[in-house]
Amino acid sequence: MIETTIPMLPCRTSLIETTVDFYTALGFATTYLQKSPYAYAVVERGAVELQLYGMKEYDPASSHSGCYVLTDDVDGLHAAFRAGLKEAYGRVPARGLPRIGPLKDMSYGVRQFLVTDPTGNTIRIGQPISEDQNHLPAPKETFARALHMADLFADSKQDLPGAAKIIDRVLGLTDEHPTPAQKLRLLVLRGDIAQRMGDAEKTGVLLEVAAAVRLGPEEREAAADTLARLADLRG
């Protein structure tokens, strides 16, 4: 027997074609599209199939729906998705709806990114980078611990206020100071959270401070993912 799981994701009825166009930009083919008697669409990319069903009063801003896609080339998919979105939208959308997030090495042994469609569904794309898929213990050092927990709150738990509170607390410390690389990561993540929460003014301030952080050559190489996200958010 061969079984296949196909995610069925809600979509605001008026956004069904806009959402299909978004997946087209990501390299999906539309294999079914129906407007009446109810909105329904099917998009496919290789072995990945997503089905979208219309809901007239669905609110994209409050959506918590989505699914997880495993791949053996997360960097390649991220690059392909970014290129497709830039061609379709004239830019890489890093804020609002739709948007594509940064590549991150998560504490549970997965390198991943998040992409959110125009109707609020979040597709997590990940590649295992460790045989141990359990959460690593939180570091004891103040700023490493804050980054560990804030990443989990923001991108796994999707508790943006909780993640913001963690970062604001450690950035406000006066008796301890982060390394330049830690400060950059904290500021960029906090700026990312601020724009996702709709606070454009705070986002701008945080990203300006992040852009002024000085890094050595080795630090810049290690912070490549964070610097790429900073460029996206400021672009």
Side-chain angles (χ1 to χ4, degrees):
M1 294 177 65
I2 298 176
E3 291 80 26
T4 301
T5 298
I6 301 173
M8 297 177 65
L9 305 174
C11 178
R12 189 176 182 89
T13 301
S14 61
L15 293 175
I16 192 79
E17 290 185 283
T18 300
T19 303
V20 166
D21 289 343
F22 172 79
Y23 284 105
T24 299
L26 298 183
F28 284 75
T30 304
T31 57
Y32 187 81
L33 177 59
Q34 167 184 292
K35 299 180 184 178
S36 64
Y38 54 89
Y40 206 92
V42 179
V43 294
E44 298 182 37
R45 189 184 198 278
V48 179
E49 177 178 334
L50 305 175
Q51 299 192 5
L52 302 158
Y53 61 94
M55 295 179 64
K56 187 175 181 181
E57 303 300 328
Y58 191 73
D59 180 14
S62 61
S63 173
H64 292 282
S65 58
C67 66
Y68 204 106
V69 175
L70 287 175
T71 178
D72 60 1
D73 186 13
V74 70
D75 286 74
L77 269 184
H78 190 252
F81 282 12
R82 284 173 56 89
L85 291 171
K86 186 172 184 179
E87 182 176 352
Y89 292 91
R91 62 184 178 85
V92 178
R95 63 189 76 181
L97 294 174
R99 64 178 179 269
I100 185 170
L103 279 164
K104 289 185 179 182
D105 293 339
M106 305 303 291
S107 63
Y108 40 87
V110 174
R111 181 167 172 78
Q112 72 173 27
F113 67 96
L114 277 58
V115 59
T116 304
D117 69 23
T119 200
N121 297 304
T122 296
I123 314 301
R124 298 167 184 266
I125 319 262
Q127 177 177 357
I129 54 175
S130 170
E131 293 183 0
D132 185 0
Q133 299 294 295
N134 294 310
H135 282 280
L136 295 175
K140 293 184 178 180
E141 193 274 326
T142 300
F143 301 100
R145 182 182 181 86
L147 283 163
H148 174 97
M149 297 305 298
D151 261 335
L152 291 178
F153 271 58
D155 288 337
S156 294
K157 191 178 179 183
Q158 294 208 40
D159 179 357
L160 298 180
K165 185 176 181 180
I166 291 169
I167 297 173
D168 289 344
R169 184 185 69 79
V170 295
L171 287 177
L173 294 176
T174 57
D175 56 339
E176 293 183 75
H177 302 283
T179 66
Q182 288 175 329
K183 184 177 181 180
L184 176 71
R185 286 187 61 196
L186 287 164
L187 287 167
V188 172
L189 179 55
R190 185 63 180 88
D192 195 338
I193 291 166
Q195 66 86 13
R196 287 162 66 181
M197 294 176 68
D199 191 341
E201 182 176 354
K202 189 171 188 67
T203 300
V205 171
L206 288 161
L207 298 182
E208 285 299 319
V209 177
V213 174
R214 293 180 177 272
L215 299 177
E218 291 186 2
E219 290 174 316
R220 291 189 66 84
E221 183 176 352
D225 289 344
T226 303
L227 290 170
R229 184 56 172 172
L230 175 59
D232 279 347
L233 291 169
R234 298 185 76 203

